[in-house]
């Protein structure tokens, strides 16, 4: 089963005010019709399968079967399919895809959690940034401001996760940012 977004999901992702939490938003972004439940579970954790079922029932996701027969949504079939997929996910590690979009979403989430005026300003700047260079500049600024807002250990974890999400060609620009 390879879930993909519905028009409702695309609208919710663009609006930024839909009744979705950050994990649900991340899941919707990753559901492109190419990833299986096993891959989504490897990327997001064991509760990804349950979130897929919830989002299918809420109308944000459809499966291949749902798209072919739109009159018969099958959340119970989805639940039966998920158990073997979760076991397969633990057996086969999945290489995470790197993208500037994923890195941007991650930094936006970190800035949103800070509850500080400087973080809020950087959040707005990053949200409005359109050019690749501008996005990279704002993300670098965020990494420079973050140590003043949080602990050193947290900053190191954020930096490490960002380096895992960034495309390899952009990692060198963030290597000197401490």
């Amino acid at each position: 089963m390879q879930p993909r977004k519905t028009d409702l999901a695309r609208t919710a992702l663009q609006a930024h005010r839909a009744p979705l939490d950050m994990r649900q938003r991340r899941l919707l972004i990753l559901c492109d019709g190419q990833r299986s439940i096993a891959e989504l579970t490897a990327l997001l954790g064991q509760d990804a399968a349950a979130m897929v079922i919830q989002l299918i029932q809420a109308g944000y996701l459809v499966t291949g079967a749902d798209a072919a027969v739109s009159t018969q949504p099958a959340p119970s079939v989805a639940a039966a399919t998920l158990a073997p997929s979760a076991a397969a996910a633990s057996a086969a590690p999945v290489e995470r895809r790197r993208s500037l979009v994923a890195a941007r979403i991650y930094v936006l989430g970190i800035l949103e959690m800070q509850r500080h005026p400087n973080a809020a300003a950087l959040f707005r700047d990053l949200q409005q940034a359109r050019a690749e260079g501008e996005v990279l500049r704002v993300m670098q600024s965020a990494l420079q401001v973050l140590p003043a807002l949080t602990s050193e250990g947290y900053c190191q974890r954020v930096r490490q996760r960002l380096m895992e999400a960034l495309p390899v060609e952009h990692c060198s620009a963030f290597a000197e940012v401490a």
Side-chain angles (χ1 to χ4, degrees):
M1 178 169 76
Q2 296 171 323
R4 68 174 194 276
K5 293 179 271 303
T6 63
D7 290 338
L8 176 65
R10 287 185 198 86
T11 304
L13 288 171
Q14 290 176 348
H16 295 287
R17 292 199 177 136
L20 300 170
D21 64 27
M22 288 296 283
R23 290 184 52 76
Q24 290 171 325
R25 291 179 67 78
R26 285 184 193 127
L27 179 66
L28 283 179
I29 290 167
L30 292 172
C31 289
D32 57 358
Q34 303 297 315
R35 291 182 180 91
S36 69
I37 297 297
E39 291 169 315
L40 293 170
T41 301
L43 291 170
L44 296 173
Q46 294 301 319
D47 59 341
M51 283 195 309
V52 167
I53 292 171
Q54 291 171 344
L55 293 173
I56 288 172
Q57 291 172 342
Y60 290 102
L61 291 175
V62 293
T63 63
D66 290 339
V69 184
S70 60
T71 59
Q72 296 179 349
S76 59
V77 171
T81 312
L82 294 177
S85 299
S90 61
V94 176
E95 175 68 25
R96 290 183 182 212
R97 291 186 183 172
R98 295 172 168 261
S99 75
L100 190 57
V101 173
R104 179 181 182 170
I105 290 170
Y106 175 69
V107 173
L108 282 169
I110 294 300
L111 291 171
E112 187 175 35
M113 290 187 295
Q114 297 311 307
R115 305 284 187 232
H116 190 276
N118 291 347
L122 285 167
F123 179 86
R124 282 189 306 274
D125 291 346
L126 186 54
Q127 218 174 18
Q128 295 171 358
R130 296 293 174 241
E132 184 175 296
E134 187 180 4
V135 169
L136 292 169
R137 182 189 58 75
V138 176
M139 288 194 313
Q140 287 172 335
S141 297
L143 282 184
Q144 291 171 341
V145 168
L146 202 57
L149 306 177
T150 65
S151 70
E152 184 61 33
Y154 184 76
C155 292
Q156 290 301 323
R157 287 192 304 275
V158 168
R159 185 175 178 279
Q160 180 183 359
R161 297 281 186 226
L162 180 60
M163 296 303 262
E164 291 171 4
L166 272 172
V168 176
E169 63 267 16
H170 297 304
C171 287
S172 62
F174 286 84
E176 62 272 358
V177 178

